[in-house]
Amino acid sequence: MLGESSIQPEWLSEEVKTGTTIIAIGYEGGVVLGSDSRVSAGASVVNRVMNKLSPLHDKIYCALSGSAADAQTIAEIVNYQLDVHSIEVGEDPLVRSAATLVKNISYKYKEELSAHLIVAGWDRRAGGQVYVTLDGLLSMQPFAVGGSGSSYIYGFVDAEYRKGMTKKESQEFVVNALTLAMGRDGSSGGVAYLVTIDQEGAVERCIPGNELPTFFDQ
Amino acid sequence: TMEERPNHQYKGVSTGTTILAVQFNGGVIIASDSRASMGGSYVSSKIINKLIQVHDRIFCCIAGSLADAQAVTKMAKFQLSFHSIQMESPPLVKAAASVLKELCYNNREDLQAGFITAGWDKKKGAQVYTVSMGGMLISQPFTIGGSGSTYIYGYADAKYKPDMSREECLQFTTNALALAIGRDNVSGGVAHLVVITEDGVEHVLIPGDKLPKFHDE
């Protein structure tokens, strides 16, 4: 429109957040991580296909949420620190080590950063593990959810989680939880990314929106 | 974790709460928790009843400022009883919801209360209506509200089925309340459920320790 060409679009001045849904769950022999793919700046979606599951090592991944820049930077730094660490000890790093490195950064810079990473993976000592590092705490949990969309699925994951699920059941659990959250959270959406990590390695998968499960109102 | 928590400044006692209403085959269940809190850290009542009977087969439940909600429901009860005398028949559930909506919309600047209305009438059977805080009125097969409802959107979306039996609906509603109470610190206490059918109204009260438990309890 005439006269409005000098006004910048709103999204250029908004902070880019991954306003997101992330989830990680441990099963007998490994872990499954899942995330949506939406990155928003205010009301605009600036990336609809971002993979928020970032590798920290061969069998350790982290899921990013909060400020996109902060989360990516933490993941990159920890990726480097883990490489150095695994050369020093001469073997694959423990998941707890990776989580501790993330926690150290999150805690030291907690005033400046606003990102929450869930760290999950497989190691020889303790098998599949999931750690939360919110606000600089370190806590191992059977499963974890995070991001803005997670509020809507607390009830669902509380009701549906059972100990001792198989790999397939865990993958279904993650896909259902992600779908429900994406259905209610405006800041989550797009496709679902899954990573399954076990003794063999990490397998990534992308599920497009139209192949996600549907519920009663669709 | 929630990135953006809406900042509701309630006047006085707030019902930070979980409320829901669900249709089943032949009736409707309306349910709520029983906690009233002030400022999010003091529980001013452990056993408050948030299910208000506005007519024989019509109930509504309140979320938001308790004072506003009580004032509005008192007015609505009066208007509805007058209306049913004039019409010489029980009011429609939609009429009850409309009365609440008029009050909420016309006074939207001053009020901070939202309602769920559920009931049974001869014309359309069991129905559930939501009147939001600004005065929007919509009809849904089921609806959830209050601060605790955020945590059970996923559960409700996944588990609701149309045309449930009375038992299935009771189970669904009780589970949903228990899950929300488990995650929301301003919801709690006992679970109040009211089952409304053509034949009448049945109150079910489930004390906190008898609510269903989940994997980590």
Side-chain angles (χ1 to χ4, degrees):
Chain A
M1 290 206 326
L2 289 177
E4 291 205 15
S5 51
S6 56
I7 297 173
Q8 275 198 331
E10 198 189 285
W11 56 264
L12 278 177
S13 50
E14 296 280 344
E15 186 195 357
V16 176
K17 297 179 93 59
T18 55
T20 191
T21 308
I22 50 176
I23 174 170
I25 175 171
Y27 66 91
E28 186 63 56
V31 294
V32 181
L33 290 101
S35 84
D36 72 307
S37 68
R38 181 171 289 182
V39 181
S40 49
S44 304
V45 176
V46 296
N47 185 344
R48 60 189 168 101
V49 288
M50 169 162 177
N51 189 344
K52 299 173 193 178
L53 303 177
S54 194
L56 296 177
H57 207 262
D58 296 341
K59 300 198 187 102
I60 308 176
Y61 270 65
C62 69
L64 316 172
S65 76
S67 153
D70 289 350
Q72 279 187 337
T73 308
I74 297 175
E76 278 173 21
I77 294 174
V78 172
N79 185 318
Y80 160 76
Q81 289 176 337
L82 264 185
D83 271 347
V84 172
H85 171 73
S86 78
I87 288 170
E88 283 175 348
V89 300
E91 58 181 30
D92 281 345
L94 299 176
V95 187
R96 195 178 184 98
S97 309
T100 305
L101 290 171
V102 174
K103 179 265 289 176
N104 287 343
I105 301 176
S106 303
Y107 182 70
K108 186 165 182 196
Y109 300 102
K110 72 190 306 205
E111 304 302 320
E112 292 97 322
L113 296 174
S114 89
H116 171 209
L117 275 68
I118 296 178
V119 179
W122 184 95
D123 64 46
R124 253 183 3 191
R125 195 188 290 185
Q129 301 141 73
V130 173
Y131 290 87
V132 290
T133 63
L134 179 63
D135 281 346
L137 82 80
L138 178 64
S139 167
M140 181 167 90
Q141 294 180 187
F143 69 90
V145 295
S148 56
S150 66
S151 324
Y152 303 103
I153 50 172
Y154 272 112
F156 177 78
V157 299
D158 280 343
E160 292 296 293
Y161 174 77
R162 297 170 318 277
K163 259 173 64 169
M165 290 201 277
T166 64
K167 173 156 78 168
K168 191 141 186 295
E169 287 172 334
S170 303
Q171 287 169 332
E172 268 172 28
F173 176 86
V174 166
V175 169
N176 284 338
L178 281 175
T179 308
L180 289 165
M182 295 201 285
R184 287 289 183 177
D185 180 28
S187 314
S188 299
V191 306
Y193 286 106
L194 247 72
V195 171
T196 311
I197 311 175
D198 59 18
Q199 185 170 12
E200 318 292 311
V203 176
E204 296 191 8
R205 215 181 122 205
C206 168
I207 307 178
N210 60 334
E211 287 170 28
L212 290 172
T214 54
F215 297 95
F216 83 96
D217 55 355
Q218 287 150 320
Chain B
T1 48
M2 282 178 42
E3 246 92 35
E4 286 147 23
R5 187 172 219 114
N7 203 8
H8 289 305
Q9 289 300 113
Y10 292 119
K11 310 172 271 234
V13 178
S14 136
T15 55
T17 187
T18 308
I19 51 178
L20 61 151
V22 189
Q23 254 181 312
F24 65 90
N25 198 355
V28 63
I29 296 185
I30 186 166
S32 82
D33 72 311
S34 71
R35 180 174 287 187
S37 60
M38 205 132 79
S41 61
Y42 172 66
V43 177
S44 46
S45 171
K46 292 184 271 188
I47 39 127
I48 192 171
N49 185 7
K50 304 177 195 178
L51 301 177
I52 317 279
Q53 185 161 21
V54 291
H55 209 266
D56 294 350
R57 296 274 188 287
I58 309 177
F59 274 70
C60 70
C61 50
I62 50 187
S65 156
L66 189 50
D68 286 347
Q70 283 186 344
V72 171
T73 47
K74 204 164 166 189
M75 177 73 102
K77 233 168 144 170
F78 164 75
Q79 288 188 2
L80 271 179
S81 71
F82 194 61
H83 171 75
S84 82
I85 289 169
Q86 280 186 317
M87 306 298 282
E88 290 178 14
S89 72
L92 297 179
V93 187
K94 189 160 189 175
S98 265
V99 166
L100 287 167
K101 181 265 290 173
E102 279 300 295
L103 291 165
C104 285
Y105 181 71
N106 292 334
N107 298 296
R108 64 188 179 282
E109 311 292 318
D110 307 313
L111 291 175
Q112 265 182 351
F115 300 87
I116 292 178
T117 311
W120 187 94
D121 64 46
K122 253 188 10 200
K123 187 171 172 190
K124 278 190 169 171
Q127 301 144 73
V128 172
Y129 292 89
T130 309
V131 178
S132 70
M133 239 173 239
M136 171 185 79
L137 170 63
I138 53 174
S139 167
Q140 295 172 289
F142 76 92
T143 186
I144 58 182
S147 56
S149 67
T150 332
Y151 306 104
I152 48 172
Y153 272 106
Y155 178 79
D157 282 345
K159 295 291 171 178
Y160 173 77
K161 298 184 317 266
D163 284 330
M164 286 188 277
S165 71
R166 184 179 176 281
E167 273 57 43
E168 286 175 322
C169 191
L170 265 172
Q171 191 62 57
F172 170 79
T173 316
T174 315
N175 283 347
L177 267 180
L179 289 163
I181 287 173
R183 288 288 183 178
D184 183 26
N185 64 338
V186 287
S187 295
V190 308
H192 288 290
L193 292 93
V194 173
V195 185
I196 310 170
T197 57
E198 177 174 10
D199 302 323
V201 159
E202 186 200 335
H203 290 263
V204 179
L205 188 143
I206 306 180
D209 59 347
K210 302 277 190 301
L211 285 172
K213 296 202 188 309
F214 299 94
H215 68 97
D216 54 358
E217 293 162 298

